[in-house]
């Protein structure tokens, strides 16, 4: 009886698979799409993903369900997506971590070849800030202090291999200074420690930091974007303030498993563009000090490769290890 | 007077029929997910986030907040009835709450949990209104040395948790500390005890261990001893607490509220720590500590108040500094950001309707929860009359789905099965799992803060005694040790003399 | 003596602690120890492992003197069937969907007790599964397929 049933099931499955592969591209999507977020609920990856998912769903005409698969700095969820059916019903929300993980972990997937790029959602710069009790008011003064007593200054980060950690290491490499890394479990605890004056320096996402910069609990010295931020127009970029060539921005994007048919990628890209234009997405990115960016799928693919190369240098020269 | 006016304004906002409806929906959903293990406010709020796009910011926040503290109420219900911690914070309630239920006192246990939570919710709400910003300032004074000293104090006090053999309990604490180490080391990023399994790189989930050792372990033990269980199902006495119960619970509720508020304000302490602290205090001050673990009502009243106060006060760093102390708070922050609001020190003046409306709604929500929960007790207690052979498969099903949903991971289910077996063996060997869970919660944080403190002081251990707050905790820790060891030494002298 | 040793509660508790401690120390040898002032990732586990071994030895010795027995039965049936149904649930969730996984889990649970009645067990597992589908999938909107994987 069991075999008979499983046979029937297989037959039915085959039938469904056949019909879908033929009809897939014309009537896609005909069921909900799963957006894997390889991070737990609550973080910036998750919130960005949820805002976009809602509108992505409206543009596609079928719901987009967010599926949090967190673990190992995003590796767990990314692996699930890498091995999912390339039928357009599983897509993955990625961030800068995707371009950094290859240099930190042994990956059970190829970060570039296993995926077909869909598009980028936006970028958010890092901001360099210090506790107001520290007698430095500019990037140059900070560099002077760090050179005076190498290794004496300490900076807080959201953890080993985090965006904050890498931004700081890039800063140290570019400016040639030595500041001691003090890792925390997440950006929140790190910021609390700096606001309390225990650690003095911090690289953090502009997102979380803005309200405390505005209230004077933290003193911002520079932003990591190539242009000044709209929400903090008085703060110079780190590059113009004394570390030429420095740029560090987190980014969020969407990829699909490699082999997803091109027409489906095009449909997803079109829907993503619509989702980016929604008022919620605009408002969210604005308040966070992030910017919405558009790229074609191919451009986004090239961007991912260039980001991987950039951070490979930082991870290797900075001696960052996570294993 | 200004406060009074602000509160009136807040109530005017919160009592609009839409906001009242959002509050009602929030606390009802919260209670439901609170009862279910694994499925917590974090996942629920994440799923509901898109819905809030089309709701006014105040209403959205009121509803999400309602889910959050509603879950705290619901979590204790299954802890008391079937030893299943619905939420992390309800673990401590399992210890004495479940024993009360076994003695036919599930009604009073549930009622006192609701009453204690309401009191703590009221105080917590008032604290946010009166002293939010200064309390947040206080929290900033805590760096790595302070947290370490505080946790060391908690660890030393853990000996109080001992039932029977002190050495056994302390060994279980060490076992918990060891289990807590599994995963990625915060300071170096090294994987420890993860056996090359990717899923273990973020550590073992607290709810996995708690459901495994408490719920599954208990079911296996119960199925082995059907005799004991029958007594449990047939004897259900009064539903409401007696006058005596109330008198016994007043002080624990007040102390629990104070403890919970303290821990709630500190962003660097996880859930369940406040409840554990309250439990240890109650056991220490009790005239007859031996009643604890056997159905002492103080062991329910204190921790339940503590975890609700803790939950309310977690809003303080979020609202006044814009800093999320937990994943749930991070999501609330996200929900506000989507609406174009950035919480921070000026939110009270720039968005008074949001701040005061939320505060008023919290109190209303807590009141609603008591009104909802007290009549429910009768129904819950009837559930205990269902024959156990029909009840426990349901517990298994809810636990399994709940745990699976935390990370959509079968691996966590396998772990739960493993901890079920381990928990049962512990029960058989007379090793109580409660101290283990305390070690499990404290361990990773203690190590993290200790090593961070040493890193920041460049290896100078004097940081723990040169910073005033840390020194204070160290002195109290020393005092606890003296108080604990002194009677033992005296006894030994008498033994030797005799 | 040999017989008494076999269900001596504290001797077994001690043995369990010693074994855990030994495994911890054995595994931690791969992690850098560091120094007391600059602790490496191996420091804490090694110290804890040592503590567990000491506590285990103490318990084992005390156990031999006190000689307390393990009480109650081992309920082997439940001890095997319940974890097994959980594992099956996990496997089926990945490969067959929500309904088969829950059916197996609830049916497995119901037959874990010696008091189980076949008909009742079947009805209960079907009923519970239906209830869970209504509650979790439709009520709470959990995104799991009812049958077959995505």
């Amino acid at each position: 009886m069991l075999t008979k049933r499983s046979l029937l099931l297989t037959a039915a499955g085959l039938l469904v698979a056949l019909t879908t592969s033929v009809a897939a591209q014309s009537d896609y999507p005909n069921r909900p799409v799963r957006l894997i977020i390889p991070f737990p609920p609550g973080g910036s990856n998750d919130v960005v993903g949820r805002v976009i998912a809602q509108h992505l769903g409206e543009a596609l005409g079928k719901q987009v369900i967010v599926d949090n698969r967190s673990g190992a700095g995003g590796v767990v969820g990314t692996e699930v997506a890498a091995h999912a059916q390339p039928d357009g019903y599983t897509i993955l929300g990625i961030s800068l971590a995707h371009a950094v993980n290859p240099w930190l972990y042994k990956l059970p997937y190829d970060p570039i070849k296993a995926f077909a790029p869909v598009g980028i959602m936006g970028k958010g710069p890092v901001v360099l800030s210090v506790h107001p009790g520290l007698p430095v008011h500019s990037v140059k003064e900070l560099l002077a202090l760090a050179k005076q007593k190498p290794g004496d200054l300490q900076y807080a980060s959201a953890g080993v291999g985090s965006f904050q950690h890498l931004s700081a290491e890039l800063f140290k490499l570019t400016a040639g200074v030595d500041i001691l890394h003090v890792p925390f479990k997440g950006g929140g605890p790190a910021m609390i420690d700096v606001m309390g004056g225990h650690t003095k320096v911090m690289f953090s996402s502009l997102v979380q930091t803005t309200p405390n910069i505005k209230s004077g609990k933290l003193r911002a010295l520079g932003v990591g974007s190539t242009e000044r931020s709209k929400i903090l127009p008085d703060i110079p970029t780190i590059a113009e303030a004394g570390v030429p060539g420095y740029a560090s921005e987190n980014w969020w994007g969407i990829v699909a498993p490699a082999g997803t048919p091109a027409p489906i990628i095009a449909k997803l890209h079109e829907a993503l563009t619509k989702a980016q234009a929604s008022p919620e997405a605009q408002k969210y990115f604005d308040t966070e000090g992030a910017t919405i960016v558009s790229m074609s799928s191919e451009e986004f693919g090239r961007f991912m490769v260039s980001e991987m190369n950039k951070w490979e240098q930082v991870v290797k020269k900075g001696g960052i290890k996570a294993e | 007077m200004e406060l009074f006016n602000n509160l009136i304004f807040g109530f005017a906002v919160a009592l609009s029929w839409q906001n009242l409806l959002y509050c009602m929906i929030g606390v009802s959903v919260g209670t439901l997910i609170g009862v279910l293990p694994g499925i917590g406010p974090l996942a629920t709020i994440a799923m509901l986030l898109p819905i809030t796009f089309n709701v006014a910011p105040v209403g959205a926040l009121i509803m999400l907040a309602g889910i959050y503290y509603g879950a705290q109420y619901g979590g204790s219900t299954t802890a008391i009835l079937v030893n299943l911690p619905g939420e992390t914070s309800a673990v401590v309630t399992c210890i004495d709450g479940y024993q009360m239920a076994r003695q036919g006192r599930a009604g009073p246990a549930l009622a006192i949990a609701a009453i204690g939570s309401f009191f703590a919710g009221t105080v917590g709400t008032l604290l946010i209104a009166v002293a939010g910003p200064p309390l947040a300032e206080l929290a900033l004074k805590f760096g790595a040395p302070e947290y370490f000293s505080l946790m060391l104090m908690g660890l030393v006090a853990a000996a109080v948790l001992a039932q029977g053999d002190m050495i056994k309990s302390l060994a279980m604490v060490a076992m918990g500390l060891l289990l807590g180490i599994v995963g990625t080391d915060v300071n170096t990023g090294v994987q420890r005890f993860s056996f090359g399994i990717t899923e273990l790189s973020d550590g073992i989930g607290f709810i996995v261990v708690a459901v495994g050792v408490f719920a599954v372990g208990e079911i296996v033990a119960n199925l082995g001893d059907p005799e004991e269980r029958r007594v449990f199902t047939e004897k259900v006495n009064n539903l409401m607490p007696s006058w005596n119960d109330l008198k016994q619970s007043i002080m624990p509720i007040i102390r629990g509220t104070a403890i919970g508020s303290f821990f709630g304000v500190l962003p660097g302490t996880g859930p369940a720590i406040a409840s554990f602290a309250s439990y240890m205090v109650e056991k220490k001050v009790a005239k007859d500590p031996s009643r604890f673990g056997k159905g002492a009502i103080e062991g329910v009243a204190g921790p339940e108040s503590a975890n609700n106060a803790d939950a309310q006060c977690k809003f303080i760093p979020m609202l006044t500094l814009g800093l999320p102390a937990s994943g749930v708070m991070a999501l609330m922050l996200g929900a506000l950001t989507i609406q174009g609001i950035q919480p921070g020190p000026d939110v009270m003046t720039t968005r008074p309707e949001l701040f005061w409306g939320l505060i008023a709604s919290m109190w209303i929500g807590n009141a609603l929860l008591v009104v909802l929960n007290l009549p429910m007790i009768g129904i819950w207690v009837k559930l205990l009359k269902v024959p156990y052979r029909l009840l426990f498969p349901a517990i298994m099903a809810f636990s399994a789905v709940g745990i699976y949903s935390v990370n959509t991971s079968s691996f966590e289910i396998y772990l739960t099965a493993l901890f079920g077996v381990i928990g049962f063996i512990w029960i058989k060997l007379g090793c109580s799992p409660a101290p283990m869970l305390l070690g499990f919660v404290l361990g990773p944080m203690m190590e993290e803060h200790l090593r961070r403190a040493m890193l920041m002081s460049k290896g100078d251990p004097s940081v723990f005694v040169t910073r005033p707050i840390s020194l204070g905790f160290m002195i109290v820790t020393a005092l606890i040790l003296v108080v604990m060891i002194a009677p033992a030494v005296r006894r030994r002298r008498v033994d030797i003399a005799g | 003596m040999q017989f008494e040793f076999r269900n001596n509660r504290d001797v077994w508790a001690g043995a369990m602690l010693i074994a855990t401690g030994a495994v911890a120390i054995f595994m931690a040898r791969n992690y850098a120890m560091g120094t007391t002032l600059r602790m490496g990732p191996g420091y804490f586990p090694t110290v804890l492992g040592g503590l567990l071994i000491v506590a285990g030895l103490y318990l084992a010795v005390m156990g031999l003197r006190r000689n307390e027995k393990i009480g109650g039965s081992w309920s082997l049936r439940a001890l095997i069937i319940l974890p097994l149904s959980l594992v099956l649930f996990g496997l089926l969730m990945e490969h067959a969907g929500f309904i088969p996984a829950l059916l197996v889990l609830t049916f497995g649970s119901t037959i874990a007790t010696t008091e189980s009645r076949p008909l009742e067990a079947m009805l209960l597992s079907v009923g519970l599964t239906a209830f869970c589908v209504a509650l979790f999938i439709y009520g709470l909107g959990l995104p799991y397929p009812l049958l077959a994987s995505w």
Side-chain angles (χ1 to χ4, degrees):
Chain A
M1 192 197 121
L2 239 168
T3 44
K4 202 169 156 192
R5 218 180 84 196
S6 59
L7 210 72
L8 251 165
L9 271 173
T10 327
L14 270 174
L15 205 71
V16 171
L18 268 174
T19 42
T20 44
S21 68
V22 173
Q25 308 180 7
S26 53
D27 71 344
Y28 171 85
N30 57 20
R31 57 189 164 93
V33 174
R34 172 169 67 145
L35 171 65
I36 294 182
I37 300 287
F39 292 94
S44 74
N45 294 287
D46 177 65
V47 179
V48 169
R50 282 177 197 278
V51 174
I52 293 287
Q54 175 74 10
H55 295 281
L56 208 54
E58 279 164 23
L60 287 170
K62 277 276 183 265
Q63 208 187 346
V64 174
I65 299 164
V66 173
D67 185 4
N68 297 92
R69 296 282 184 108
S70 59
V75 174
V76 171
T78 309
E79 186 188 357
V80 174
H83 299 141
Q85 287 289 329
D87 53 7
Y89 291 100
T90 302
I91 51 178
L92 172 72
I94 60 170
S95 66
L96 175 92
H98 191 76
V100 172
N101 284 345
W103 318 119
L104 292 176
Y105 303 97
K106 261 191 219 105
L107 297 184
Y109 54 84
D110 185 313
I112 298 295
K113 285 187 195 140
F115 298 100
V118 173
I120 192 166
M121 297 189 273
K123 284 184 183 179
V126 74
V127 61
L128 162 60
S129 54
V130 297
H131 183 258
L134 195 72
V136 295
H137 294 84
S138 69
V139 174
K140 286 211 168 111
E141 286 177 29
L142 179 71
L143 291 177
L145 185 68
K147 278 179 182 154
Q148 203 185 327
K149 301 180 194 160
D152 230 31
L153 268 178
Q154 304 170 334
Y155 76 89
S157 91
V160 176
S162 64
F163 165 57
Q164 289 88 328
H165 181 196
L166 289 158
S167 301
E169 291 301 320
L170 180 65
F171 180 83
K172 282 163 63 180
L173 286 172
T174 323
V177 290
D178 185 13
I179 307 177
L180 184 69
H181 177 214
V182 180
F184 285 77
K185 233 179 190 166
M191 192 178 318
I192 291 168
D193 206 67
V194 178
M195 285 167 67
H198 308 291
T199 23
K200 306 287 188 203
V201 184
M202 179 175 58
F203 285 78
S204 53
S205 68
L206 192 55
V207 179
Q208 290 181 313
T209 324
T210 317
N212 293 304
I213 291 172
K214 286 188 175 156
S215 73
K217 287 203 156 52
L218 290 170
R219 182 186 298 142
L221 303 182
V223 290
S225 43
T226 43
E227 279 162 38
R228 291 194 178 199
S229 158
K230 260 186 279 175
I231 54 170
L232 292 173
D234 300 337
I235 309 298
T237 67
I238 294 176
E240 69 177 282
V243 189
Y246 181 88
S248 177
E249 285 189 85
N250 196 0
W251 48 265
W252 305 276
I254 289 180
V255 294
T260 306
I264 290 182
I265 298 277
K267 220 168 200 174
L268 282 168
H269 186 269
E270 190 189 332
L272 177 63
T273 312
K274 274 188 206 156
Q276 285 177 313
S278 68
E280 279 82 17
Q282 302 272 2
K283 235 194 255 171
Y284 180 74
F285 278 87
D286 279 353
T287 322
E288 298 251 309
T291 40
I292 289 178
V293 183
S294 311
M295 288 183 194
S296 73
S297 299
E298 294 75 26
E299 279 168 348
F300 180 50
R302 284 195 292 276
F303 174 76
M304 280 165 62
V305 174
S306 74
E307 283 287 294
M308 267 181 68
N309 294 336
K310 171 179 174 181
W311 294 111
E312 178 185 13
Q313 299 304 316
V314 179
V315 171
K316 298 219 162 128
K317 284 190 190 149
I320 303 169
K321 267 183 237 133
E323 263 178 295
Chain B
M1 206 71 274
E2 200 197 335
L3 173 74
F4 188 69
N5 286 338
N6 282 333
L7 279 177
I8 298 267
F9 172 60
F11 273 99
V13 174
L15 283 172
S16 80
W17 70 268
Q18 292 107 322
N19 287 342
L20 209 53
L21 185 69
Y22 288 132
C23 187
M24 187 78 194
I25 296 173
V27 297
S28 313
V29 172
T31 307
L32 173 67
I33 57 146
V35 168
L36 302 168
I39 298 183
L42 187 60
T44 313
I45 292 174
M47 280 192 286
L48 288 178
L49 201 57
I51 297 178
T52 63
F53 295 170
N54 308 317
V55 174
V58 185
L61 197 63
I62 285 176
M63 181 170 76
L64 297 183
I67 293 173
Y68 173 59
Y69 51 75
Q72 310 296 326
Y73 275 75
S76 58
T77 307
T78 35
I80 291 170
L81 292 175
V82 290
N83 211 31
L84 177 64
E87 295 300 321
T88 310
S89 54
V91 163
V92 182
T93 313
C94 284
I95 307 173
D96 275 277
Y98 180 60
Q99 291 307 320
M100 282 183 76
R102 295 191 72 138
Q103 292 155 13
R105 292 179 19 91
L110 289 167
I112 215 74
I115 294 167
S117 297
F118 174 66
F119 178 80
T122 308
V123 172
T125 307
L126 264 175
L127 264 182
I128 303 174
V130 179
L135 281 174
E137 292 291 331
L138 186 73
L140 290 181
K141 298 253 184 305
F142 274 66
E146 284 77 19
Y147 276 116
F148 174 74
S149 303
L150 174 64
M151 290 182 188
L152 186 69
M153 186 174 98
L155 201 67
V156 169
V160 179
L161 277 181
Q163 284 163 21
D165 199 326
M166 172 88 83
I167 297 292
K168 234 179 199 174
S169 305
L170 291 179
M172 290 308 278
V173 173
M175 179 82 87
L177 290 168
L178 202 56
L179 279 173
I181 284 175
V182 174
T184 309
D185 174 30
V186 178
N187 288 59
T188 58
V190 170
Q191 300 277 313
R192 292 185 291 179
F193 303 114
S194 58
F195 302 93
I197 299 166
T198 333
E199 282 90 341
L200 279 180
S201 66
D202 289 334
I204 303 171
F206 182 84
I207 201 76
V208 168
V209 182
V211 169
V213 298
F214 276 113
V216 180
E218 176 72 20
I219 289 174
V220 176
N222 275 340
L223 293 181
D225 296 310
E227 289 302 316
E228 218 176 304
R229 215 174 57 236
R230 227 156 257 143
V231 185
F232 164 48
T233 40
E234 276 161 21
K235 199 173 62 184
V236 174
N237 303 333
N238 47 341
L239 290 181
M240 286 298 142
S242 67
W243 185 234
N244 213 12
D245 289 336
L246 283 176
K247 261 204 322 228
Q248 264 179 313
S249 304
I250 290 175
M251 285 316 288
I253 288 176
I254 294 174
R255 283 189 291 259
T257 304
I259 292 167
S261 310
F262 171 71
F263 282 98
V265 172
L266 289 182
T269 57
I273 289 189
S275 326
F276 268 117
S278 160
Y279 188 83
M280 293 190 285
V281 167
E282 289 317 318
K283 191 165 175 188
K284 193 72 216 170
V285 302
K287 281 201 199 87
D288 177 14
S290 68
R291 289 191 304 118
F292 280 75
K294 297 180 189 124
I297 197 162
E298 300 97 307
V300 176
E304 273 304 311
S305 314
N307 76 36
N308 212 39
D310 177 81
Q312 300 282 343
C313 289
K314 283 270 183 290
F315 277 96
I316 291 178
M318 195 277 271
L319 283 174
T320 58
L321 298 174
L323 290 174
S326 64
V328 172
M329 286 301 141
L331 270 176
M332 300 237 185
L333 208 58
L336 287 174
T337 320
I338 292 167
Q339 305 269 7
I341 297 169
Q342 196 139 44
D346 49 357
V347 78
M348 282 169 89
T349 42
T350 53
R351 301 300 294 251
E353 89 286 0
L354 186 88
F355 188 85
W356 296 106
L358 175 67
I359 285 175
S361 91
M362 282 181 182
W363 188 82
I364 296 169
N366 273 292
L368 276 177
L369 279 164
V370 171
V371 175
L372 278 176
N373 272 290
L374 288 181
M376 287 287 279
I377 291 175
I379 301 168
W380 289 123
V381 171
K382 279 213 183 71
L383 199 70
L384 289 180
K385 296 202 169 163
V386 175
Y388 196 71
R389 63 169 200 285
L390 304 180
L391 188 61
F392 82 86
I395 302 173
M396 291 291 289
F398 293 152
S399 304
V401 178
I403 286 174
Y404 184 82
S405 76
V406 174
N407 270 326
T408 325
S409 154
S410 291
F411 182 75
E412 314 245 291
I413 297 284
Y414 309 147
L415 268 186
T416 310
L418 181 67
F419 276 104
V421 175
I422 293 176
F424 173 68
I425 294 173
W426 283 343
I427 294 174
K428 282 283 155 193
L429 297 180
C431 301
S432 75
M436 188 279 297
L437 279 167
L438 178 68
F440 184 73
V441 179
L442 279 181
M445 285 195 269
M446 258 184 80
E447 189 198 7
E448 187 191 328
H449 290 298
L450 172 61
R451 288 171 57 192
R452 182 177 300 132
M454 297 307 259
L455 183 67
M456 291 170 63
S457 72
K458 303 212 167 108
D460 179 6
S462 69
V463 277
F464 298 114
V465 287
T466 48
R467 298 171 54 128
I469 298 178
S470 174
L471 177 66
F473 289 133
M474 284 294 178
I475 292 174
V476 177
T477 308
L479 285 178
I480 296 175
L481 273 176
V482 170
V483 170
M484 238 162 35
I485 293 167
V489 173
R490 214 173 301 140
R491 214 176 303 133
R492 181 143 309 163
R493 285 217 190 102
V494 175
D495 279 356
I496 293 168
Chain C
M1 193 64 203
Q2 193 63 21
F3 178 70
E4 282 177 18
F5 172 77
R6 272 198 2 217
N7 53 24
N8 184 311
R9 195 181 69 175
D10 292 340
V11 168
W12 279 110
M16 174 196 76
L17 293 175
I18 294 169
T20 316
V23 170
I25 292 178
F26 179 73
M27 288 191 65
R29 81 193 189 289
N30 291 328
Y31 314 136
M33 277 292 281
T35 64
T36 311
L37 296 187
R38 281 216 163 209
M39 280 163 253
Y43 192 90
F44 238 61
T46 310
V47 170
L48 284 174
L51 281 177
L52 279 180
I53 292 179
V54 172
L57 286 172
Y58 171 86
L59 269 185
V61 173
M62 288 306 284
L64 287 175
R65 282 171 53 183
R66 276 188 294 209
N67 215 354
E68 263 185 77
K69 296 279 165 282
I70 296 171
S73 76
W74 274 97
S75 48
L76 270 181
R77 178 172 174 152
L79 188 60
I80 293 167
I81 296 183
L82 282 183
L84 196 68
S85 353
L86 275 176
V87 170
L88 283 175
F89 171 82
L91 285 172
L92 290 170
M93 276 304 275
E94 301 253 295
H95 301 288
F98 192 78
I99 291 177
L102 261 180
L103 275 176
V104 168
L105 172 70
T106 46
F107 186 74
S109 303
T110 48
I111 60 168
T113 159
T114 43
E115 302 163 40
S116 97
R117 302 158 201 184
L119 182 69
E120 190 183 82
M122 283 208 256
L123 286 178
L124 184 66
S125 53
V126 171
L128 269 176
T129 304
F131 181 73
C132 284
V133 168
L135 177 65
F136 291 105
I137 304 293
Y138 295 105
L140 292 172
L142 295 184
Y144 307 135
L146 293 177
L147 272 173
S149 66
W150 285 346

